[in-house]
Every structure is written in structure tokens, then in C-alpha cells.
Amino acid sequence: MATKANSVPIPTLIKGIHNRWHPDIPPFVSVKPGEANWTGAQIGNNDYSDDVKDVDLRKVHNLSGPIAVEGAEPGDCLVVDILDVTPFEKMPWGYTGIFELTNGGSLLAREFNSKACKAVWDFEGIYATSRHIPGVRFAGIPHPGLIGTAPSAELLATWNAREGALIAEHPNAVPAVAFAPHAVGTHVGQDLDEKVRRKIAEEGARTIPGREHGGNCDIKNLSKGSRCYFPVFVKGANLSVGDLHFSQGDAGIITFKMSVIKDGIEKFALKQPIFLPSPIDPVYSAKVIFEGIGVDYHGDGKQYNMDATVAYKQAAQNAIAYLMKVRNLLLSAAPIDSHIGALVDSPNACVTLAIPTGIFDHDILPSPDGFTKKDFGQCAIRSDGVV
């Protein structure tokens, strides 16, 4: 039933953006608990990948906010209900990109000596298709890749100290093991005193990893209907959100509301966020599952002890090797599932990666005759032709 309350349009409150975490970035807007908010974000809809190759990682992750919530104090828990996540009406497309080994890299960058590559996805309702990956159609799970509260000065100092120590241990790592504060490319989205702006630029934590406050976690099930519990470190909580995904890596609009649980950090032993997943999830019951263990059999054959990261890399490389018989550049966008099968059997952790077979318009299951070779075209590549 229409009422005065539900007949008022939800306001678009967040027009300010920033790309560093710092307690001195003031809130762009303040809201009362229970009010709803909207947001937005970036690369070209084209058939080349120079934009991915040359991306300036010092400028990534434009976040909408910060949003202060009245009554939130350090030690509290900020509750965020995600009401909706949608693409921009006039921008119904997204992309999957592979970074250069020397500029950003990725999980398997060293293993593949990765070069820039990109696939553009077009959205039609809940489905995505790509001219660069023909024969695939899947339902997306729109979600914010990055959402979190502002750190306190003490927490920010902790981040910079521990990540700085890691960088010092691996000074020439390619790709980099972490990203230190960097003044170049810093954006705060507001007119601030020059001294404050310089302090933020010199100290502000890069937004690339997730941390205790949430941040860049890319959890696909933080979609419509999910609820998030974030620790509060500064007055007002100062929530920011961005890097919206249709499945992985797109721009759009998010609608959410917030409330506060007093002393929530103590009540829930809240060291990092807690998430309740969305009740909405595409159903793909038929899957092909690839196993990986803690042995680098795609590399030098080294045996690791209970290393789930190595096991996951092996599962992913097994899937890639399999899919290369029929296609590539899919795992970053497809609705795959990965699970830890076992962490009790020394020396090998066991991890699985499952790919839904229903997203393909042809059979990808093993058969006695192998695969029928098909021409699926070419993903967007660099203008110099390197793939």
C-alpha cells in the first residue's frame, strides 16, 4: 500500500569519491540509521587491451563515500543491508581483464607470464554474454567488490607497518607482494586543507587488499538481500563502497541501508566483518569439478606442506588446461565455486574448483572422442598483438 513514507524516492546521496583509506578523509554525507543510499565507478568497451596493460594502479578503486552514520562510535558494529545492486542503465556492459605480470599481475601471473587481455560482457537482464568469449551465457550475481569502514589512525599505522615489512622482505617481487602508500594518484573527492590532503596522500592505505575493516574482498554472495556486520573504528563509521561487479569487475549502482549495534565489537568478538549471504543465487546444479593438491606439478614439482594456496592454484591450472581445449579467459567471470576439501591430511591440502556446465552452449564434459575443435574467435588483445 502506498504511504507517505514509501512514496518518497530514495535519494542519491553519494557523489564524492576517494581511492585511499584514511581516518582524516571526512564523511561526504551523514545519514541516520535506517536511511538508504546509492553509488557508482571504470575501462573501455572496445576490442583492444591497451587500457588494461597501461592501467595506473595508483588510481584504482574510486570509492563512493565516506558515509557517516549518526550514533556510530568506535567499538560499535555497523550493520549494512544490501537492498539492490544494478548496472548503470546507460552502461549495460562490463569486462574481464588480465593484468600484465609487471603491472598488477594476478594469482597465476608468474605461472603464465601474463600479458594484458580483456573480454567485454554485455548484460541482458540477469544474463551476460561476450563477443570475445562466444558460446557462453551465465547469470550474474551483482555485488560490491569493495565495501568497508574507515580505519582509525592506530589501525592505519598497523596496516602500513606490517605491509611495509612484507615489501622489505620481498623488495623486487614481480608482481608486488603489497602496495605501499603512494601520493601520486591519490584522490579524496573533496576540497580539504592542503596539509590534510598531503597527510592522506602520504599515509593513506591503498585499496587493493581486504583488511580488518572489510575492503576489497570480492565476495560474490554479498548481493541483493545480504547483510554485513562491520567493526567501527572511527566516529560515524565512515563507510565507503565501490568496485561493483555484475559477476566480477563492473560499474553500477548499489542501494543499501545501515543500522548500529552498540558495543558490537565486544559483543560479537568482531575482529573482521561477518557476512550473511544473499538468498538469491543462480542455480547451476551440473558442474565439472577439478581437484588440486599442495604439489606444484604445473611448475617445478615441489612438495608443499598443507598449503591451500598452492592447491588452489593447481586446481585452477587444471581447469585452465582443460578449458584451453575449448576456450580461455573465463574463470575470472564465470559463476565458479571453490571449496577446501581437506586440511587434515599432511602434506597435501586439497582444494576443488567447480565450473557449471550449463553456461556453455556445447558439451564440455569428457568423452571418449575428446573435444570437437571449434573456432571461438579472439579475446581483446594489446594493440601490439601480444597475447
Side-chain angles (χ1 to χ4, degrees):
M1 181 178 70
T3 66
K4 182 178 180 180
N6 68 24
S7 296
V8 178
I10 294 173
T12 302
L13 295 176
I14 311 165
K15 299 187 177 83
I17 56 175
H18 62 99
N19 62 6
R20 296 293 189 274
W21 293 113
H22 199 287
D24 291 346
I25 300 177
F28 188 83
V29 67
S30 179
V31 300
K32 293 180 172 61
E35 289 184 348
N37 312 282
W38 299 40
T39 208
Q42 158 186 232
I43 261 170
N45 186 345
N46 50 50
D47 297 314
Y48 58 86
S49 298
D50 295 48
D51 44 10
V52 177
K53 171 182 176 289
D54 300 324
V55 64
D56 188 344
L57 296 176
R58 298 169 300 187
K59 300 178 180 179
V60 300
H61 289 154
N62 285 334
L63 307 180
S64 292
I67 311 157
V69 181
E70 295 179 14
E73 299 286 346
D76 292 345
C77 170
L78 180 68
V79 183
V80 179
D81 287 297
I82 298 177
L83 306 181
D84 201 7
V85 185
T86 61
F88 287 130
E89 184 178 351
K90 295 183 178 179
M91 189 181 167
W93 63 274
Y95 69 94
T96 299
I98 294 178
F99 288 115
E100 297 269 318
L101 170 64
T102 55
N103 187 27
S106 64
L107 178 67
L108 299 171
R110 286 194 297 270
E111 286 81 354
F112 287 99
N113 188 27
S114 64
K115 305 297 183 183
C117 196
K118 180 179 70 182
V120 174
W121 298 91
D122 294 307
F123 308 146
E124 186 174 18
I126 65 171
Y127 291 100
T129 58
S130 175
R131 63 184 181 271
H132 298 126
I133 308 181
V136 172
R137 179 174 182 259
F138 62 85
I141 314 176
H143 61 281
L146 199 159
I147 182 170
T149 52
S152 63
E154 295 76 16
L155 183 58
L156 176 63
T158 297
W159 292 352
N160 287 338
R162 74 189 186 199
E163 291 171 24
L166 181 64
I167 293 170
E169 292 173 12
H170 307 275
N172 300 310
V174 178
V177 295
F179 295 88
H182 203 300
V184 174
T186 298
H187 186 70
V188 296
Q190 304 177 52
D191 291 328
L192 301 179
D193 178 83
E194 185 56 35
K195 184 177 180 181
V196 174
R197 183 184 295 274
R198 191 180 316 116
K199 185 171 186 285
I200 293 170
E202 293 173 352
E203 300 175 352
R206 306 282 289 279
T207 59
I208 293 171
R211 300 182 179 93
E212 290 91 327
H213 67 144
N216 191 29
C217 297
D218 290 341
I219 300 172
K220 67 179 182 179
N221 293 106
L222 295 189
S223 189
K224 177 189 294 189
S226 65
R227 173 171 287 184
C228 314
Y229 299 83
F230 294 99
V232 175
F233 302 103
V234 300
K235 181 179 175 61
N238 288 4
L239 182 83
S240 295
V241 61
D243 191 25
L244 302 192
H245 301 163
F246 180 83
S247 183
Q248 176 71 15
D250 317 304
I253 299 168
I254 180 171
T255 308
F256 53 88
K257 70 176 183 179
M258 297 174 288
S259 59
V260 176
I261 298 176
K262 303 304 293 183
D263 301 317
I265 288 180
E266 175 63 27
K267 287 177 179 176
F268 312 133
L270 197 62
K271 300 298 184 184
Q272 292 180 242
I274 297 171
F275 304 108
L276 303 184
S278 167
I280 302 171
D281 202 358
V283 178
Y284 291 104
S285 56
K287 299 177 181 179
V288 56
I289 299 176
F290 300 86
E291 179 185 327
I293 60 174
V295 177
D296 186 15
Y297 43 75
H298 284 279
D300 60 9
K302 180 179 177 180
Q303 173 74 64
Y304 290 81
N305 180 39
M306 304 308 293
D307 194 319
T309 300
V310 171
Y312 179 81
K313 283 187 174 184
Q314 302 312 302
Q317 286 180 269
N318 290 341
I320 290 170
Y322 184 91
L323 289 177
M324 284 182 70
K325 297 293 184 178
V326 289
R327 63 181 62 255
N328 56 19
L329 196 63
L330 178 63
L331 297 187
S332 290
I336 65 171
D337 287 311
S338 183
H339 298 277
I340 294 176
L343 284 177
V344 295
D345 301 319
S346 298
N348 287 327
C350 178
V351 175
T352 61
L353 185 149
I355 302 174
T357 58
I359 69 175
F360 298 92
D361 67 0
H362 58 285
D363 186 9
I364 69 160
L365 295 178
S367 72
D369 297 326
F371 297 117
T372 301
K373 194 66 176 177
K374 295 185 177 183
D375 182 4
F376 289 105
Q378 176 63 58
C379 290
I381 61 174
R382 292 165 30 168
S383 58
D384 57 13
V386 175
V387 293

